[in-house]
Amino acid sequence: MTDFNVHTVESAPADSQPQLEGSKKAYGFVPNLHAVMAESPALLEAYKTVADIFDSKTNLSTTERQIIAMTNNRLNGCTYCMAAHTSIMQAGQVPEDVITALRNGTPIADPKLEALRVFAEKVNKKRGWLDDGDIDELLAAGYTKQTVFDVIVGTAYKVLSNYTNHIAQTPLDDGFAANEWSADG
């Protein structure tokens, strides 16, 4: 197996160092995901840029964005991101029943949020090859055509991190350990 570096600000390639400094300032530490991504300045910048766009340019709430992220994390089997995003949701005061449903892949009680979860799941599983009915169900729940495309942004954001974690086997940060997740339950 190939070992990948978990960089510090000092050991990272020069073009990744400012990005890692930004992570440290934002989180109080450099998350291992960012430290691994630092090997490729392009990957780290792409990930952070898409994450920022997803958080600031969509019209989705924190809960809605996390539904998209966690649905992809679970379907892609990303143990690192499941734990990290559980911690993010707890800090963002996402309702506990939503967190539990997302971790377990079970329906969310709120029908509108459940429609978003189902749609995000279909985008992932069908690789974007949706039927008109899939889109109609999301629109009928009160979402917009913009939401259809914002789900794609969230899916792309999670592909960057999920695939990185699969390849590098990114070690879980101590701060996320309480929310460790396994596909086996």
Side-chain angles (χ1 to χ4, degrees):
M1 178 184 145
T2 303
D3 288 326
F4 287 88
N5 294 324
V6 180
H7 284 286
T8 63
V9 172
E10 297 75 27
S11 72
D15 287 346
S16 289
Q17 290 176 358
Q19 294 284 342
L20 291 184
E21 287 286 359
S23 298
K24 190 174 184 179
K25 185 176 181 181
Y27 299 103
F29 67 102
V30 176
N32 288 338
L33 171 63
H34 298 187
V36 168
M37 286 180 161
E39 189 70 33
S40 167
L43 174 62
L44 181 58
E45 184 175 353
Y47 174 77
K48 291 181 83 173
T49 299
V50 174
D52 182 56
I53 290 167
F54 187 57
D55 286 344
S56 66
K57 305 266 184 189
T58 69
N59 62 358
L60 300 169
S61 70
T62 298
T63 297
E64 291 167 328
R65 290 190 312 274
Q66 289 303 317
I67 288 169
I68 296 162
M70 285 290 281
T71 298
N72 280 280
N73 293 338
R74 184 183 55 75
L75 291 172
N76 293 336
C78 187
T79 57
Y80 181 96
C81 286
M82 287 295 289
H85 280 268
T86 298
S87 299
I88 292 166
M89 288 189 298
Q90 290 165 338
Q93 300 182 356
V94 172
E96 188 59 41
D97 66 310
V98 173
I99 295 171
T100 300
L102 292 169
R103 285 178 61 92
N104 296 334
T106 56
I108 298 171
D110 180 295
K112 184 176 182 183
L113 297 179
E114 174 60 8
L116 181 62
R117 185 193 70 79
V118 168
F119 185 77
E121 188 170 274
K122 288 178 180 180
V123 168
N124 178 295
K125 286 182 173 181
K126 294 181 174 188
R127 306 294 186 253
W129 294 103
L130 303 177
D131 302 320
D132 285 342
D134 298 331
I135 296 168
D136 292 343
E137 289 171 11
L138 183 72
L139 299 176
Y143 289 102
T144 66
K145 291 176 184 175
Q146 177 184 339
T147 308
V148 171
F149 295 120
D150 288 346
V151 170
I152 295 170
V153 174
T155 301
Y157 154 61
K158 295 319 305 172
V159 164
L160 291 167
S161 60
N162 294 168
Y163 290 14
T164 297
N165 290 324
H166 296 336
I167 290 168
Q169 296 185 3
T170 308
L172 190 60
D173 300 272
D174 291 342
F176 305 142
N179 292 312
E180 191 170 0
W181 178 87
S182 168
D184 301 329

